[in-house]
Amino acid sequence: MKGYIAKRLLQIVPVLFIITFIVFVLLYMTGDPVLLMLPETATEEERQALREALHLDRPFYVQFATFLWGVIQGNFGKSYYYGQEALPFVLERLPATFELAAASMLIAIVIAVPFGIWSATHKNKWLDVLISSVAVLGKAMPNFWFGIMLILLFSVKLHVLPVSGRGTLEHLVLPAVTLGFGIAAQITRLIRSAMLEILQQDYIRTARSKGLIEMLVIYRHAFRNALIPVVTIIAMQASSLIGGALITETVFSWPGLGQLIVQAISRKDMAIVEASVFIITLVVILSNLLADIVYKWLDPRIKYQ
Amino acid sequence: MIDENSSTWAKRLLLLILTLLVLAGCSKPSATPDAKSAGADKGEDKGSRILTIGMPTDMVSFDIHNHNTILTEAIHINMFNYLFKRNSDLEIKPDLVESYKVVDDTTWEFKLKKGVTFHNGDPFTSADVKYTLERVAKDKGLKENPNYKQIKEVKIIDDQNFQILTDGPQPALLNRLSRIGSGMLPKAYIEKNGFDYFLAHPIGTGPFKFSEWVRDDRVVLEAYDNYFEGRVKDWDRVVFRKIPEDSSRVNELLAGSVDLIANLPANLVNVVNAEPKTTMLKATSNRVGLLAVRSTKGLPTADPKVREAIDLAINKKALAETVLGGYATPTRTRVTPGNFGADPSLYNTSLYDPDKAKQLLKEAGYANGLTITLHSPNGVYTKDKEVSEMIQAMLGEVGIKVNLELMERAKFTEMRAAGKNKELFLASYGNSLFDADTALDVYRTEKAKTELDYSNREVDDLLKAALVNMNPKDRTAQYQRIQKIVAEERPHIYLYSEQGLYGVKKTINFKPRTDEMIYVPDITKK
């Protein structure tokens, strides 16, 4: 297992290099950032002067080599827009991003696990129909609409929670519920279908026939085996949450990575985009690795080479 | 086999959930008093000495010379002073300057007010003026450099007196010294600590001093006790919160957690006015929506009759009333009242005569109609897509088929910089200098080559003369003449001047400004 983890960690280096190169090429190809930095009425001479000042007049390979050498030293360069080092900008967004991701994932799990199991154990009964319908609704509802509805009810009408911003635990509730509800809907349906399949297995019948109470059969024998696909989907959702929950962040003015990276792309702010993608890639690789380790933890029969 | 491990897996699952909880716990920041009050100040307006303002964007940086965005400047002006500032009627008044005189066409002499200090207690002197203005005038990497490169040198006479030498006559120098990027920086503080330190711990001479900036979230400023005009009376602290989503910004106002919001969208004005505690306020802005018309030979728009027909076919009043919700004024010039050189006869008026437009098209040889292209950005200017679609429909009524090409900002800017625009494109321009030269210099043959392909010798001569004319009366007449020519020849077809909309609590007095600055000392409690 240790050798496997070491191998996976080593693979990070080429992946990061390739990603860095692709992002650099794509941004380079999308055009000249100076056009967006000066007013529309700026003259070509003024633009050229700024290009020279920012070294954007150099050939592609020189720009990339300079950039890569900086990255190796942990320096992604200065943001064109903010005029400051890019990496601290990205790193200071991480706490907010992790906070929202963890809270919404927690809400999703707390909702999805019992409801998924109840839905499966009450197959085709009214409880199952109700849970399944709510799950479909949860998946179909656009985040921004659900978020705004929550704001109107809990903040504008009832005055019990803040509308937007970050600071106290109260600020976290609405954005985390908005995001968590959508994810819960997906996990609930997954747990239901996995449980339905497992509940028909021989070992479940054996467990029942030896007289175990139904609670033990469901939670100890069946649910544990339904967890593998659930862990997969949690790892995937966690990766995308770290990549930025743009719409939720915008509606709730949450200062996370999603807003930063989208703004940076639209401004062609190379250093910020590169630093963000670098960090997100790292988090995604590590969360996938963590998921693989959790598989092994949950099911000792799984072997990694 | 499964039974043997049953208690272990339950523990592991618990551990996983606990890890998530710890992650959430670890990343929770210490709640600032403002953060708490943001959610809890409902109904406590009268006692609160914290003013909270909802902004659509975050501040770019504390580098006052390197941002060129109005909403960032709207925050900066509360921390930094200009040498001159505009009052709410747009008149330029001395701010840090006590008096001044024009020595000759290229030399201006100024005397500073006494007793002005930076937030760290250092006195403000001529050396700070020299450092500030020469930095922006000489560093071509700064975004505000094009607006200050006309300053050749700042000559210090003594701590209180200095001269500004310009590269030629600069009738609009005071306009420059009272706009974005002309706040005064602390020379000694920056030289001692470095510019990066200044950016993290900025100080100025203004009524508020820096307290905290949580990026993409809030900028917090505190009243400066030793402000040279006296401490701000009604507020101890001002919080500028970034709330990008329009409906969330309005909801924050309705919930009572912000006192004022900028960029209120026209479609939400009714929501704000329907609430008894809030209201909408508006101000004429300096921004004018227009169609740029290319006069290149071979294009239908090279014919003045076609350009006139396009102008006459567009009902600007209808555009202002419908798409812009009534918060816009039709205009035939970009130099609106309040700007130096304005021609009031071309403001709040428009031409609309579809029958004459059809007639003109017939005379131009397009009796069977013609097809032109309109490039429009999408999501850059107020309701740009909707305005373009309405223009497309209006031109269709007189027989001009419009191919509407909607473009995202980067592509749109790239097309214009390369001069690849066709007959028409939609744009909207502001004018932070409040001087006609900014608005009209685009018609100089040399400058108009790329986008408009417009040339008029008389306009060229007038622009050249007005730029260096130190006689305000003559200079105004020159710019008014140019505006008349442009209104006739139509290298731009002007549509409307936009209005800035704000939502405010009825517990405060606030007068929106044409320059879109939010000057907190002017905001008072009722």
Side-chain angles (χ1 to χ4, degrees), chain B residues 369-526:
Chain B
L370 81 159
T371 304
I372 59 173
T373 300
L374 165 61
H375 294 285
S376 169
N378 190 359
V380 176
Y381 311 121
T382 314
K383 299 274 176 198
D384 45 16
K385 175 173 164 275
E386 291 82 356
V387 167
S388 294
E389 284 170 348
M390 199 156 167
I391 289 174
Q392 181 186 33
M394 288 172 173
L395 293 181
E397 291 286 309
V398 298
I400 303 175
K401 184 176 180 289
V402 175
N403 291 328
L404 177 59
E405 288 187 21
L406 293 169
M407 311 168 100
E408 57 100 22
R409 182 197 289 265
K411 285 283 150 222
F412 179 69
T413 316
E414 220 169 274
M415 169 202 75
R416 289 179 51 186
K420 288 185 177 162
N421 53 299
K422 293 179 185 158
E423 288 89 355
L424 300 175
F425 70 79
L426 181 85
S428 178
Y429 297 137
N431 182 356
S432 63
L433 200 63
F434 281 85
D435 188 87
D437 180 61
T438 307
L440 303 176
D441 190 53
V442 291
Y443 305 119
R444 203 158 30 90
T445 301
E446 194 54 34
K447 211 167 178 182
K449 253 185 202 166
T450 328
E451 286 180 354
L452 306 174
D453 219 350
Y454 171 77
S455 179
N456 180 311
R457 188 119 179 241
E458 189 186 350
V459 169
D460 282 344
D461 292 342
L462 284 165
L463 280 170
K464 204 173 161 190
L467 184 66
V468 293
N469 190 342
M470 299 293 278
N471 179 331
K473 209 175 155 193
D474 269 11
R475 194 165 174 256
T476 300
Q478 285 164 331
Y479 284 131
Q480 287 180 339
R481 171 74 191 133
I482 298 172
Q483 289 167 75
K484 290 250 162 48
I485 298 172
V486 166
E488 284 302 310
E489 299 194 338
R490 300 177 174 86
H492 281 142
I493 294 171
Y494 291 107
L495 303 169
Y496 43 76
S497 100
E498 296 177 24
Q499 290 172 5
L501 306 181
Y502 299 81
V504 291
K505 273 188 191 167
K506 286 180 180 169
T507 49
I508 62 167
N509 296 306
F510 170 65
K511 189 179 172 197
R513 294 168 59 105
T514 299
D515 58 9
E516 298 172 54
M517 295 295 115
I518 300 172
Y519 195 60
V520 177
D522 288 349
I523 303 173
T524 55
K525 288 185 184 181
K526 273 188 182 159

Side-chain angles (χ1 to χ4, degrees), chain A residues 40 93 164 251 259 297, chain B residues 3 12 216 242 248 252 381:
Chain A
E40 294 151 322
R93 296 300 198 290
S164 65
V251 169
Q259 282 199 58
W297 227 6
Chain B
D3 272 343
R12 286 170 179 168
D216 264 344
K242 177 196 171 186
S248 300
E252 286 278 14
Y381 311 121

Side-chain angles (χ1 to χ4, degrees), chain B residues 241-378:
Chain B
R241 287 190 52 203
K242 177 196 171 186
I243 311 167
E245 167 64 28
D246 288 344
S247 62
S248 300
R249 211 157 56 250
V250 169
N251 284 331
E252 286 278 14
L253 181 72
L254 299 182
S257 35
V258 301
D259 302 288
L260 161 67
I261 57 169
N263 283 33
L264 171 66
N267 59 330
L268 292 175
V269 167
N270 290 340
V271 178
V272 170
N273 281 340
E275 175 70 29
K277 288 181 180 170
T278 59
T279 189
M280 179 275 286
L281 295 175
K282 60 180 179 176
T284 314
S285 90
N286 216 3
R287 187 162 274 282
V288 170
L290 54 90
L291 282 179
V293 191
R294 191 182 255 293
S295 302
T296 306
K297 224 175 171 185
L299 292 178
T301 42
D303 188 335
K305 284 183 178 169
V306 175
R307 296 202 295 269
E308 189 181 350
I310 293 172
D311 191 2
L312 295 179
I314 300 170
N315 186 345
K316 288 92 180 171
K317 269 188 190 154
L319 272 180
E321 289 301 321
T322 55
V323 185
L324 294 151
Y327 302 109
T329 312
T331 181
R332 294 187 65 207
T333 177
R334 193 183 141 196
V335 192
T336 50
N339 290 277
F340 181 89
D343 183 343
S345 72
L346 294 171
Y347 183 71
N348 201 4
T349 178
S350 65
L351 304 176
Y352 175 56
D353 189 344
D355 292 332
K356 193 175 171 196
K358 283 181 198 163
Q359 181 60 34
L360 284 164
L361 286 175
K362 210 182 275 178
E363 289 169 22
Y366 296 104
N368 297 323
L370 81 159
T371 304
I372 59 173
T373 300
L374 165 61
H375 294 285
S376 169
N378 190 359

Side-chain angles (χ1 to χ4, degrees), chain B residues 83-99:
Chain B
L83 294 177
F84 292 83
K85 78 174 177 200
R86 288 180 184 276
N87 63 16
S88 56
D89 295 324
L90 297 177
E91 294 161 339
I92 299 178
K93 299 283 181 193
D95 192 5
L96 291 174
V97 157
E98 169 102 33
S99 59

Side-chain angles (χ1 to χ4, degrees), chain B residues 156-327:
Chain B
I156 300 174
I157 299 171
D158 57 38
D159 275 359
Q160 222 189 327
N161 296 283
F162 64 93
Q163 286 183 337
I164 293 180
L165 312 183
T166 56
D167 61 358
Q170 276 292 323
L173 184 68
L174 297 189
N175 296 51
R176 286 189 203 289
L177 297 178
S178 55
R179 67 174 289 286
I180 296 184
S182 58
M184 287 295 132
L185 297 175
K187 175 180 186 272
Y189 179 81
I190 291 172
E191 285 182 347
K192 185 178 163 210
N193 302 299
F195 207 83
D196 285 340
Y197 183 86
F198 166 79
L199 292 180
H201 308 91
I203 58 166
T205 57
F208 285 87
K209 60 183 182 182
F210 175 69
S211 169
E212 181 191 25
W213 180 18
V214 184
R215 286 200 181 87
D216 264 344
D217 187 24
R218 63 185 60 227
V219 178
V220 184
L221 308 180
E222 277 176 33
Y224 176 43
D225 290 335
N226 299 325
Y227 183 52
F228 71 97
E229 285 187 336
R231 189 191 190 279
V232 174
K233 284 199 184 89
D234 284 357
W235 314 109
D236 292 334
R237 177 179 292 178
V238 53
V239 183
F240 291 92
R241 287 190 52 203
K242 177 196 171 186
I243 311 167
E245 167 64 28
D246 288 344
S247 62
S248 300
R249 211 157 56 250
V250 169
N251 284 331
E252 286 278 14
L253 181 72
L254 299 182
S257 35
V258 301
D259 302 288
L260 161 67
I261 57 169
N263 283 33
L264 171 66
N267 59 330
L268 292 175
V269 167
N270 290 340
V271 178
V272 170
N273 281 340
E275 175 70 29
K277 288 181 180 170
T278 59
T279 189
M280 179 275 286
L281 295 175
K282 60 180 179 176
T284 314
S285 90
N286 216 3
R287 187 162 274 282
V288 170
L290 54 90
L291 282 179
V293 191
R294 191 182 255 293
S295 302
T296 306
K297 224 175 171 185
L299 292 178
T301 42
D303 188 335
K305 284 183 178 169
V306 175
R307 296 202 295 269
E308 189 181 350
I310 293 172
D311 191 2
L312 295 179
I314 300 170
N315 186 345
K316 288 92 180 171
K317 269 188 190 154
L319 272 180
E321 289 301 321
T322 55
V323 185
L324 294 151
Y327 302 109

